[in-house]
Every structure is written in structure tokens, then in C-alpha cells.
């Protein structure tokens, strides 16, 4: 999570902050100081893994996040052409350095390691249409590519956890049930997300957040089979409905990123109030926010929680951010 207003106030602009550990760390610290966010998280995009595996990435500018401009492979079957992910090089190494800086300077604030989910990473390495087509026409090749994506995303997560990250957030916005449907989600998404989740929970003993975009009608009760303890969804999904689908798990979300960017603090506070009244466990934006989001709008969420705490509410709610900047269409 980072916005243009904070970049300018802190002197930590994009795209420089994507490739400089000191700027990256200072920018996420600044979001805590300026906006009231209760955690630190890097990177600010979902392109680090894809770039290190051979994709061409444009680092964007002050208001546009990094994005893939050239796929690493031309066909789903061309997995032998992918580069091996090495967290000790490139922007992956910079993210690990930033995590180390953040933990050293902020031992009492949770540091999130943001990594790409399997389908989102796969569709950053090859044309998404080819990948989605392969899910049905060439499932063997699709499984092979998805497995490689999981292996490399885990490698990135491991490196950031070793550097000091306290939690892992797996964002898989391309794994929406709208696109996949229940059968495909069950075969190509659920087991891979659980493999990643179980790795971090079992090997490192840390918590995992899984974020999925889109309408969950396409996944239905399958969300209850996710092994992550926290499930994050976008604003298309009512928190009350989400809580019904994930018994025993924490519901995270889901203030509209459109409202956060386009409305005023009062309307943002009202949207956050709806989430709280529906029983959200972790109040957050519905997905990665726009860099043009006003700081005042983000602060209004934190102030709402502070006011509830002061009033003695018995609802325990934390605020936590998705530091990725994938913005869902709403």
C-alpha cells in the first residue's frame, strides 16, 4: 500500500522505491505514520517473481504500478524457457533488504511479505488467454506451469521470512471464481494455494493471508477448504456472506477501493462501518488501492477503529493492508 501523496511528502517516489531498499522501507513506514496503517509490507507490486523468471516489466511511474510488458514464454508448454528464480538477485533481493530494514527499525510492527498466487503469477508469465485455455485443453501443461509458479513464489516468500517478515500475504486476484468456476478452482487453485499456505504455516510457523478477487459465487463452499487462517475478498462480496463460507477463519476486507479513491473521508468511514457491523475481523481495503487515493480517506478507516476502541466496543478488529497494488475493477 502506497499513494502518491505519501511518496511526495516522504521523498520516496515510484518507480525509484521499487528498486531501492531504503526508499522502499521508508515509504511503507510512511504509510504507517501518515495513514494509520497498522503493518508494514513489501513489495508494492505483483511483478517481482515474474520479472526474475524472465518477463519484461515496466516499473511504471508515480501513479502507475509496475506491470508486465513482455511475457516470459509464448506458450504454456514452454516452461523449460523460464529462468530460475533467485531471491538473491534483482528486485527480489531489494525486497529482502527492505524487510530486514523494516524489522530492525520496527520490531513491534508486523511486517508482511507480499507474494503472488499461482494463477496470477502464471498469467504474468504467459498470455492469460493461453493459460486459461490450457486449464481445459492441456491440463498437464497447465499443472506443470502452475507448479513451477508455486515453487518460485515459495522461494521468494522464504527469503523474505528469513529476512524478518512476520506474515505472508498471498494475493491471487486472477484466481477469481468468475473466470474459473468451481471445478477448475478446485483443481488448479485450491491445492496450490494450500500448498503455499501449509509451507509457511508448517515450516515457519507464521500466519498466512489469502486474497482472492471477484465474486465468490464461482467458488462457493470451496473457500472453507483453504487452509489459510485469514481470507480476504473484494467489495463484490458481503462480509456477512463471507463469514458464512469460511467458518473458523478470519474475514478480511473489504472497503471498496473505488470509494477510497473517489469519495471523501465521511463516505469511506460509512463503508468501513458497514464492514464492521457485518462482523469483519480485519478491516482493510478490498484490494490493492490506487496510488491516487487520498491519505485522508485511508486515515478515516483508522480513526473509525480508534473511536470504537475509545467507546469501549467489545468487537476486536485490526486494520491491515494489502500492500500489493492490483486494483480490482468495480
Amino acid at each position: 500500500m502506497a499513494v502518491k501523496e505519501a511518496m511526495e511528502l516522504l521523498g520516496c517516489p515510484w518507480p525509484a522505491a521499487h528498486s531501492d531498499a531504503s526508499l522502499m522501507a521508508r515509504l511503507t513506514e510512511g504509510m504507517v505514520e501518515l495513514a494509520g496503517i497498522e503493518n508494514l509490507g513489501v513489495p508494492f507490486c505483483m511483478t517481482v517473481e515474474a520479472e526474475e523468471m524472465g518477463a519484461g516489466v515496466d516499473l511504471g511511474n508515480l501513479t502507475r504500478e509496475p506491470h508486465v510488458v513482455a511475457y516470459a514464454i509464448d506458450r504454456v508448454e514452454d516452461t523449460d524457457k523460464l529462468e530460475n528464480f533467485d531471491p538473491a538477485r534483482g528486485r527480489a533481493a531489494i525486497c529482502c533488504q527492505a524487510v530486514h530494514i523494516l524489522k530492525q527499525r520496527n520490531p513491534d510492527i508486523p511486517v508482511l511479505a507480499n507474494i503472488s498466487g499461482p494463477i496470477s503469477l502464471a498469467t504474468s508469465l504467459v498470455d492469460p488467454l493461453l493459460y486459461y485455455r490450457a486449464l481445459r485443453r492441456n491440463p498437464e501443461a497447465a499443472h506443470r506451469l502452475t507448479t513451477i509458479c508455486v515453487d518460485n513464489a515459495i522461494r521468494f516468500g522464504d527469503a523474505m521470512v528469513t529476512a524478518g517478515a512476520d506474515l505472508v500475504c498471498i494475493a491471487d486476484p486472477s484466481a477469481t471464481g468468475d473466470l474459473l468456476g468451481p471445478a477448475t478452482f478446485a483443481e488448479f487453485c485450491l491445492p496450490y494455494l494450500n500448498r503455499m499456505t501449509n509451507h509457511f504455516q508448517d515450516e515457519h510457523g507464521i500466519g498466512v493471508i489469502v486474497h482472492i478477487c471477484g465474486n465468490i459465487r464461482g467458488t462457493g463452499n470451496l473457500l472453507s477448504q483453504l487452509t489459510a487462517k485469514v481470507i480476504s475478498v473484494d467489495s463484490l462480496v458481503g462480509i456477512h456472506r463471507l463469514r458464512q463460507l469460511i467458518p473458523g477463519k478470519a474475514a478480511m476486507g473489504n472497503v471498496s477501493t473505488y470509494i477510497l479513491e473517489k469519495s471523501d473521508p465521511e463516505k469511506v468511514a460509512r463503508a468501513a462501518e458497514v464492514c464492521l457491523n457485518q462482523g469483519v475481523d480485519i478491516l482493510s481495503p478490498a484490494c490493492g488501492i490506487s496510488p491516487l487515493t487520498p491519505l485522508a480517506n485511508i486515515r478515516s478507516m483508522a480513526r473509525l477503529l480508534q473511536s470504537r476502541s475509545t467507546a469501549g466496543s467489545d468487537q476486536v478488529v485490526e486494520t491491515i493492508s494489502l500492500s500489493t497494488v492490483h486494483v480490482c475493477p468495480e
Side-chain angles (χ1 to χ4, degrees), residues 117-124 131-132 135 146 149 172 174-175 180 188-189:
I119 293 182
S120 295
L121 180 50
T123 53
S124 293
Y131 177 78
Y132 289 126
L135 295 179
T146 310
C149 290
D172 210 353
S174 297
L180 300 179
F188 286 95
C189 187

Side-chain angles (χ1 to χ4, degrees), residues 300-323:
S300 69
M301 295 173 63
R303 286 174 177 166
L304 175 64
L305 291 180
Q306 291 170 359
S307 66
R308 282 204 166 201
S309 176
T310 302
S313 171
D314 59 0
Q315 183 181 7
V316 179
V317 181
E318 301 172 76
T319 53
I320 198 162
S321 69
L322 284 177
S323 298

Side-chain angles (χ1 to χ4, degrees), residues 43-152:
F44 301 117
C45 70
M46 294 183 64
T47 62
V48 174
E49 300 100 322
E51 183 177 42
E52 295 306 317
M53 294 173 69
V57 171
D58 181 331
L59 291 181
N61 53 42
L62 199 63
T63 61
R64 187 177 185 185
E65 68 272 14
H67 53 284
V68 171
V69 293
Y71 297 116
I73 53 179
D74 296 324
R75 303 185 309 148
V76 174
E77 296 83 359
D78 294 339
T79 51
D80 58 323
K81 297 180 180 179
L82 292 171
E83 297 180 19
N84 291 323
F85 182 89
D86 183 355
R89 71 185 185 196
R91 286 197 294 135
I94 290 167
C95 291
C96 293
Q97 293 166 18
V99 168
H100 179 74
I101 293 170
L102 290 168
K103 203 62 213 175
Q104 289 292 309
R105 293 202 300 229
N106 308 276
D108 297 325
I109 301 178
V111 177
L112 274 72
N114 295 306
I115 61 176
S116 299
I119 293 182
S120 295
L121 180 50
T123 53
S124 293
L125 295 171
V126 69
D127 186 323
L129 291 177
L130 297 179
Y131 177 78
Y132 289 126
R133 187 180 301 156
L135 295 179
R136 294 166 177 79
R137 298 183 181 180
N138 192 350
E140 182 179 350
H143 275 299
R144 186 164 57 250
L145 174 57
T146 310
T147 298
I148 291 172
C149 290
V150 168
D151 292 342
N152 285 287

Side-chain angles (χ1 to χ4, degrees), residues 49-312:
E49 300 100 322
E51 183 177 42
E52 295 306 317
M53 294 173 69
V57 171
D58 181 331
L59 291 181
N61 53 42
L62 199 63
T63 61
R64 187 177 185 185
E65 68 272 14
H67 53 284
V68 171
V69 293
Y71 297 116
I73 53 179
D74 296 324
R75 303 185 309 148
V76 174
E77 296 83 359
D78 294 339
T79 51
D80 58 323
K81 297 180 180 179
L82 292 171
E83 297 180 19
N84 291 323
F85 182 89
D86 183 355
R89 71 185 185 196
R91 286 197 294 135
I94 290 167
C95 291
C96 293
Q97 293 166 18
V99 168
H100 179 74
I101 293 170
L102 290 168
K103 203 62 213 175
Q104 289 292 309
R105 293 202 300 229
N106 308 276
D108 297 325
I109 301 178
V111 177
L112 274 72
N114 295 306
I115 61 176
S116 299
I119 293 182
S120 295
L121 180 50
T123 53
S124 293
L125 295 171
V126 69
D127 186 323
L129 291 177
L130 297 179
Y131 177 78
Y132 289 126
R133 187 180 301 156
L135 295 179
R136 294 166 177 79
R137 298 183 181 180
N138 192 350
E140 182 179 350
H143 275 299
R144 186 164 57 250
L145 174 57
T146 310
T147 298
I148 291 172
C149 290
V150 168
D151 292 342
N152 285 287
I154 286 176
R155 196 169 293 128
F156 186 31
D158 280 344
M160 287 194 284
V161 171
T162 299
D166 302 293
L167 298 161
V168 170
C169 177
I170 305 170
D172 210 353
S174 297
T176 168
D178 299 24
L179 289 173
L180 300 179
T184 302
F185 184 89
E187 179 178 357
F188 286 95
C189 187
L190 182 63
Y192 291 106
L193 284 173
N194 283 347
R195 182 187 156 203
M196 295 174 73
T197 298
N198 295 341
H199 170 84
F200 294 112
Q201 291 181 163
D202 298 341
E203 296 296 321
H204 298 287
I206 63 175
V208 176
I209 300 165
V210 167
H211 172 76
I212 296 175
C213 287
N215 197 317
I216 58 174
R217 285 181 300 181
T219 55
N221 293 331
L222 290 170
L223 291 184
S224 67
Q225 297 179 34
L226 288 168
T227 55
K229 295 179 173 61
V230 182
I231 309 300
S232 165
V233 294
D234 72 32
S235 58
L236 293 172
V237 183
I239 292 299
H240 178 71
R241 176 57 176 157
L242 176 63
R243 289 182 62 83
Q244 292 177 332
L245 292 172
I246 55 168
K249 304 181 188 300
M252 175 172 166
N254 73 343
V255 177
S256 164
T257 55
Y258 180 85
I259 291 176
L260 275 164
E261 179 186 359
K262 301 294 186 182
S263 295
D264 54 51
E266 290 74 21
K267 290 182 180 178
V268 171
R270 287 200 294 270
E273 187 82 40
V274 170
C275 292
L276 293 173
N277 291 339
Q278 290 182 344
V280 75
D281 298 293
I282 303 175
L283 182 66
S284 78
C287 195
I289 64 172
S290 164
L292 296 175
T293 301
L295 281 171
N297 286 357
I298 306 172
R299 280 196 297 267
S300 69
M301 295 173 63
R303 286 174 177 166
L304 175 64
L305 291 180
Q306 291 170 359
S307 66
R308 282 204 166 201
S309 176
T310 302

